[in-house]
Amino acid sequence: MDPTTLKGRSLLTWLDYTAEEIRYFLDVSKQVKAESQRHEVHRRFEGKTLALLFEKRSTRTRCAFETAFGEEGGHPVFLSTADIQLGAKESIEDTARVLGRMFSAIQFRGFKQATVETLARYSGVPVYNGLTDAFHPTQVLADIQTLEEQGGSAAGKKLCFVGDGRNNVARSLMVICAKLGLHFTLITPPALNPDPELTARCTGAAQVSGAHLRVTQDTAEVEGAHAVYTDVWASMGEEAKKEERLRLLRPYQVNQALMDKTGCKDSIFLHCLPAIKGEEVTADVIDGPQSRAWDQAENRKHTIKALLLATLGC
Ligand code: CP
Ligand code: NVA
């Protein structure tokens, strides 16, 4: 793969990328993590600027972008909706045009996928989706790195997501697994199945990569999983649905009994965080020996640095 083809690209969803391109980001991330462990100092973002637009709150994503970019001489600028117009008094198109004149790249976290797409269309600079209602692509890159740190390539491994099957993390995992050849089982009540159009697109990608994709309501299907993954039952912006979700998803809590159903003592537990202990996961699992949630959080920084390096051509 010629890495110069990544220069100038946006990351809105992994649907727009090939398996080889995703693998390139993972390889660079592994390298930058090794550099960080050797305490190497680089200045690869000197002279560059990054706008960080946030409609929703964030700990990991904001800190990963700010530290990855800033520690190498880049200038990140945090802009919440309390600071800028962004669709309030000024259209998204016009905001994009202005930011594109001042910044080397833009990160957006918010509600609509259409907003991040509009920013990419009108800014003329790389735009990164730091989470929308539809997708969370930078998260799942870190998740794959974490899975591969257990040994071997992710292709051919089995990852099960247990919980809200139509949320941004579940949808993004389905896409990246289908692209990379990971067997992905989505365990969710039928009321929370992902939309059929996305499932069909992922099924097409899975046919190319050799991934097996399954959507089921049966938690016994975690059997043989290398990794069991969950996320909050009500995502940001869905607070009004909390009671309904608790009712639907209680049987899908990841507890030790569910982890034991994998039948593999080496299977790991993953969570994008933040977690609500006692709801989607019990404290003994997320704080226990099978959990890799804290490695995942650290890997957000390395994978985001890899994304910035490749797309800014640094
Ligand atoms: N996982 C994740 O995106 O965390 P934040 O919401 O804290 O950024
Ligand atoms: N699905 C969660 C992910 C948080 C990182 C949310 O959107 O709130």
Side-chain angles (χ1 to χ4, degrees):
M1 212 250 350
D2 173 9
T4 59
T5 59
L6 296 172
K7 189 174 174 187
R9 296 267 298 272
S10 292
L11 172 58
L12 309 181
T13 154
W14 290 118
L15 287 166
D16 303 332
Y17 280 83
T18 65
E20 291 69 32
E21 290 167 339
I22 301 171
R23 279 245 59 91
Y24 179 80
F25 290 125
L26 288 165
D27 291 344
V28 175
S29 182
K30 207 170 148 186
Q31 283 166 30
V32 299
K33 184 168 184 174
E35 290 168 5
S36 155
Q37 287 167 340
R38 292 193 297 266
H39 306 289
E40 282 180 27
V41 178
H42 294 272
R43 306 291 293 169
R44 289 170 287 204
F45 299 126
E46 217 147 52
K48 305 246 185 256
T49 49
L50 174 64
L52 296 169
L53 272 47
F54 282 84
E55 287 179 343
K56 293 178 178 171
R57 285 174 183 247
S58 168
T59 299
R60 281 144 288 271
T61 308
R62 175 185 176 177
C63 295
F65 271 102
E66 282 208 24
T67 57
F69 194 64
E71 74 186 11
E72 294 219 20
H75 181 188
V77 178
F78 176 79
L79 298 161
S80 78
T81 41
D83 305 306
I84 58 166
Q85 300 294 357
L86 196 70
K89 200 175 167 188
E90 188 167 37
S91 69
I92 310 286
E93 288 92 317
D94 289 356
T95 305
R97 289 181 174 113
V98 172
L99 295 179
R101 298 288 181 109
M102 299 188 190
F103 289 92
S104 316
I106 300 167
Q107 183 277 169
F108 172 79
R109 164 171 290 203
F111 294 91
K112 294 185 187 144
Q113 183 71 11
T115 306
V116 77
E117 287 168 3
T118 304
L119 288 168
R121 191 170 318 122
Y122 290 94
S123 65
V125 296
V127 172
Y128 313 116
N129 178 353
L131 179 149
T132 60
D133 292 344
F135 292 109
H136 195 4
T138 63
Q139 174 67 50
V140 298
L141 194 63
D143 302 337
I144 300 298
Q145 175 166 1
T146 310
L147 186 59
E148 294 199 330
E149 286 172 347
Q150 309 313 304
S153 155
K157 290 200 163 72
K158 176 175 176 179
L159 190 154
C160 292
F161 182 93
V162 184
D164 175 8
R166 34 137 308 287
N167 87 6
N168 40 23
V169 171
R171 289 164 49 91
S172 303
L173 284 169
M174 184 156 79
V175 174
I176 203 164
C177 289
K179 291 268 177 174
L180 293 179
L182 265 97
H183 306 315
F184 181 65
T185 303
L186 180 55
I187 303 176
T188 190
L192 298 176
N193 278 350
D195 68 85
E197 194 201 320
L198 182 74
T199 309
R201 286 188 74 179
C202 291
T203 303
Q207 275 159 3
V208 175
S209 70
H212 303 154
L213 264 189
R214 258 190 80 63
V215 179
T216 173
Q217 55 183 311
D218 184 3
T219 55
E221 294 208 27
V222 295
E223 189 181 353
H226 295 88
V228 176
Y229 196 128
T230 193
D231 183 14
V232 288
W233 288 342
S235 288
M236 287 180 278
E238 296 184 332
E239 289 74 15
K241 295 193 173 140
K242 185 77 192 253
E243 286 311 308
E244 179 195 333
R245 291 290 169 73
L246 284 173
R247 200 169 31 76
L248 272 172
L249 287 165
R250 238 177 223 122
Y252 296 84
Q253 182 188 64
V254 179
N255 48 37
Q256 197 56 51
L258 187 136
M259 288 302 294
D260 291 343
K261 284 191 199 174
T262 63
C264 328
K265 62 174 179 11
D266 295 336
S267 59
I268 60 167
F269 170 74
L270 297 173
H271 195 306
C272 54
L273 302 173
I276 305 185
K277 296 177 191 180
E279 288 190 7
E280 75 275 5
V281 62
T282 51
D284 58 332
V285 169
I286 194 166
D287 296 328
Q290 287 170 286
S291 176
R292 296 293 178 275
W294 320 110
D295 294 333
Q296 272 177 282
E298 178 190 333
N299 288 337
R300 297 296 308 285
K301 177 172 171 177
H302 306 305
T303 43
I304 280 171
K305 187 179 276 190
L307 173 70
L308 290 164
L309 285 169
T311 55
L312 292 173
C314 297

